[in-house]
Amino acid sequence: MIYTCTLNPSIDYIVEVDAFQVGAVNRATHTAKYPGGKGINVSRVLQRLGAESTALGFIGGFTGEFVKQELEKEEIRHSFIQATGDTRINVKLKSGEETEINGQGPIISEEQLKQLFAKINELQHADILVLAGSVPSSLPSSIYTSIVQAAQERGAKVAVDTSGPALQEIIAAKPNLVKPNHHELGELFGVDIQTADEAIEYGKKLVDMGIEYVLVSMAGDGALFISKNEVIFAKPPRGTVRNSVGAGDSMLAGFLAAYTQGQSLEQAFRFSVASGSATAFSTDLCTKQDVERLLPEVQIL
Ligand SMILES: Nc1ncnc2c1ncn2[C@@H]1O[C@H](COP(=O)(O)OP(=O)(O)OP(=O)(O)O)[C@@H](O)[C@H]1O
Ligand SMILES: O=P(O)(O)OC[C@@]1(O)O[C@H](CO)[C@@H](O)[C@@H]1O
């Protein structure tokens, strides 16, 4: 079974405005609300790709109720811990460019954290735990490391998609898979990564540090799969980018869906890139149909 853990879920409030002006009253031309947070996006895409998962994390208030209801509509299992405050609302402003304002989220108490660990301690051998998104400010950035250790003690495999201090911390715990974009990978090593060759050099360092699989995304410029025995570069399909929110999450979900359905690493990677691009070319997250349509356009080089 795949579990996703989103410590700080959200409602993603998409607001489209023609020619947004700072300091003026702007009128939206279109708005939409989606359940969000990186792990929740992974669960939503897994479901669309025919792979079941259970969403874990902290949820609270009326906004948290919305997130739960939306997941239930999509028949996605969840087992959240109730937080005291409201789940955050993240504003995604689209006006030519995309601007994001992500909220802080509720304060998590020690008791609530204990309840989360009780769930992690129920994981079973060969389960997969996806840890994705930022760490709420009330929790230390080392929290992911403790979760990775608890999950691995249970025999579960752990995939991580986070950034900043949380990503920095987690590397030492050797999760089984990490999915940085090239900026996050560079930040880890204090360098600026511009090319696929540079991304390969630093991705390989992560493998040398004990991480089994490294997926590096470089938006429209390409993606890499790096393991002890493979370095695979893929060029994504071309298309009109409508939405970059959740493209990275879709990439991780696509890889896990195909891999757990028994496909080879190369095929799973191809599926992963097609999933990321299918979301980038859609207004919401990708559908299976979109991913299958784009699959032959992913070039493995
Ligand atoms: N311009 C694009 N053209 C084609 N595919 C794209 C484009 N941008 C993103 N993608 C697809 O989405 C995947 C993830 O993109 P990106 O590198 O932006 O991830 P990320 O920074 O983790 O995304 P997120 O915005 O979800 O945090 C890419 O590997 C690719 O498959
Ligand atoms: O603030 P975080 O946890 O880093 O990112 C949260 C978030 O921007 O990530 C997802 C897209 O990847 C969105 O659904 C969500 O709003």
Side-chain angles (χ1 to χ4, degrees):
M1 165 59 84
I2 304 177
Y3 292 83
T4 61
C5 177
T6 313
L7 296 179
N8 207 355
S10 58
I11 292 180
D12 288 349
Y13 182 51
I14 319 293
V15 188
E16 290 179 23
V17 174
D18 286 340
F20 176 76
Q21 281 185 295
V22 178
V25 175
N26 294 271
R27 304 279 173 192
T29 50
H30 177 74
T31 61
K33 298 186 288 300
Y34 297 113
K38 296 191 194 301
I40 286 174
N41 290 340
V42 172
S43 274
R44 291 185 71 212
V45 174
L46 284 170
Q47 183 75 352
R48 290 160 183 228
L49 301 180
E52 284 192 357
S53 72
T54 299
L56 305 175
F58 301 106
I59 209 98
F62 73 104
T63 41
E65 282 310 305
F66 172 85
V67 170
K68 284 199 274 193
Q69 281 164 16
E70 292 299 303
L71 293 185
E72 284 157 20
K73 277 191 210 158
E74 295 182 18
E75 299 182 358
I76 297 166
R77 255 190 301 230
H78 60 78
S79 182
F80 291 114
I81 309 299
Q82 197 63 34
T84 320
D86 294 334
T87 288
R88 62 189 170 151
I89 297 173
N90 291 348
V91 180
K92 315 290 178 181
L93 173 63
K94 300 190 180 186
S95 184
E97 280 181 293
E98 286 181 356
T99 304
E100 303 188 36
I101 305 175
N102 287 2
Q104 285 203 316
I107 290 176
I108 306 303
S109 70
E110 266 186 39
E111 175 51 34
Q112 288 157 356
L113 189 56
K114 249 194 216 161
Q115 289 177 35
L116 179 72
F117 273 94
K119 291 193 191 285
I120 303 292
N121 287 326
E122 282 170 13
L123 292 178
Q124 313 248 326
H125 185 77
D127 280 343
I128 294 175
L129 177 67
V130 178
L131 291 177
S134 59
V135 174
S137 54
S138 53
L139 296 176
S141 56
S142 61
I143 192 68
Y144 269 159
T145 304
S146 312
I147 298 177
V148 174
Q149 284 163 348
Q152 288 183 338
E153 272 167 29
R154 303 286 309 161
K157 304 233 183 236
V158 186
V160 174
D161 181 6
T162 187
S163 53
L167 177 61
Q168 198 90 41
E169 284 260 357
I170 212 166
I171 299 303
K174 303 183 185 167
N176 303 81
L177 183 154
V178 292
K179 194 229 84 54
N181 62 31
H182 63 297
H183 302 297
E184 292 160 346
L185 180 63
E187 211 186 313
L188 255 184
F189 292 96
V191 295
D192 184 27
I193 294 181
Q194 298 281 356
T195 64
D197 284 342
E198 288 164 355
I200 292 172
E201 180 186 343
Y202 288 96
K204 276 183 171 173
K205 285 189 199 283
L206 291 181
V207 172
D208 292 341
M209 288 157 93
I211 292 164
E212 217 176 327
Y213 301 143
V214 179
L215 276 173
V216 186
S217 61
M218 303 179 74
D221 295 334
L224 288 157
F225 174 84
I226 307 168
S227 70
K228 199 165 165 221
N229 301 318
E230 289 101 348
V231 174
I232 312 173
F233 178 77
K235 201 95 189 110
R238 282 165 172 262
T240 305
V241 176
R242 295 217 160 80
N243 156 47
S244 71
V245 177
D249 311 332
S250 303
M251 194 180 171
L252 180 54
F255 180 83
L256 293 174
Y259 184 64
T260 54
Q261 285 161 6
Q263 299 206 25
S264 69
L265 288 170
E266 183 174 312
Q267 270 304 101
F269 177 52
R270 181 188 280 275
F271 206 77
S272 157
V273 174
S275 305
S277 299
T279 288
F281 303 158
S282 315
T283 47
D284 183 15
L285 299 173
C286 58
T287 63
K288 190 171 185 184
Q289 212 182 7
D290 297 334
V291 177
E292 284 173 347
R293 183 175 41 81
L294 291 178
L295 201 54
E297 294 176 36
V298 178
Q299 293 174 50
I300 300 287
L301 302 171

